[in-house]
Amino acid sequence: MVGAPHIAPLRALARKIATERNASVPDPDPLDGGVAARLLLLLETPGPSIGRTGFVSRDNATGTAANLFRFLAEAGIARGDTLIWNAIPWVIHAPGALNRAPRRGEAAAAASYFAPLLALLPRLAVVVPAGRFAAGAVAPLAELRPDLPVIPVPHPSPTYVCTAPSVRERILAGLREAAARLAERG
């Protein structure tokens, strides 16, 4: 499925970024909507576990992916409507190391890839940045597409979700608002 027409343009963009940044860039999950996605779920950076699958996916064997799987289902968002991508799409941590906080220069470099990404998503109706760092993408995205609703939510990592019951509710509220936007646009 990785060569499927709905994924191929996104994989080509990922390969371009990987070449330009000289770093690994995971592929989008072919079980998701790909270029037909109406909701872009923007995470922060690829984590260390990405090396096992090579995909940005709600099916990865991590707590964050499991939470995403559950929250998206609870919000009633169809898998075919989604694309999961990272605000910084390339791996920034050293091989074998834990993930680290992104640097300002990395964020600025990553913002230059939003225009080609958005160009591949003609049906895009809403963006959901997950986490404080991903929410920093709001301004560059608004500059490119001022008409595009952006609904920030807390990061779905188990560490953060477990800090307070309100975190789970804020994530679900944001995803339900995104689902309502999708329903409005049919």
Side-chain angles (χ1 to χ4, degrees), residues 33-113:
V35 296
R38 299 185 320 132
L39 183 149
L40 173 61
L41 181 61
L42 199 59
L43 297 174
E44 296 184 346
T45 66
S49 66
I50 212 74
R52 284 179 264 175
T53 67
F55 292 103
V56 179
S57 175
R58 72 191 78 202
D59 295 323
N60 284 344
T62 67
T64 296
N67 282 344
L68 274 178
F69 191 96
R70 187 176 68 254
F71 291 144
L72 288 164
E74 283 183 55
I77 297 171
R79 188 166 192 154
D81 278 335
T82 63
L83 171 66
I84 302 172
W85 193 261
N86 285 291
I88 294 180
W90 62 90
V91 175
I92 62 171
H93 57 273
L98 295 176
N99 211 356
R100 62 169 174 76
R103 297 183 180 111
R104 285 188 190 134
E106 291 164 332
S112 69
Y113 295 109

Side-chain angles (χ1 to χ4, degrees), residues 36 38 81 123 125 178-186:
R38 299 185 320 132
D81 278 335
R123 298 185 63 217
R181 298 283 180 128
L182 295 177
E184 287 170 8
R185 294 192 181 199

Side-chain angles (χ1 to χ4, degrees), residues 62-64 67 156-163:
T62 67
T64 296
N67 282 344
S157 75
T159 304
Y160 192 60
V161 169
C162 291
T163 60

Side-chain angles (χ1 to χ4, degrees), residues 5-17 25-28 33-37 83 85 116-117 120-121:
H6 75 290
I7 292 296
L10 293 163
R11 289 189 73 219
L13 176 59
R15 297 295 69 76
K16 177 182 188 292
I17 295 168
V25 176
D27 286 323
V35 296
L83 171 66
W85 193 261
L117 175 63
L120 294 175
L121 304 172

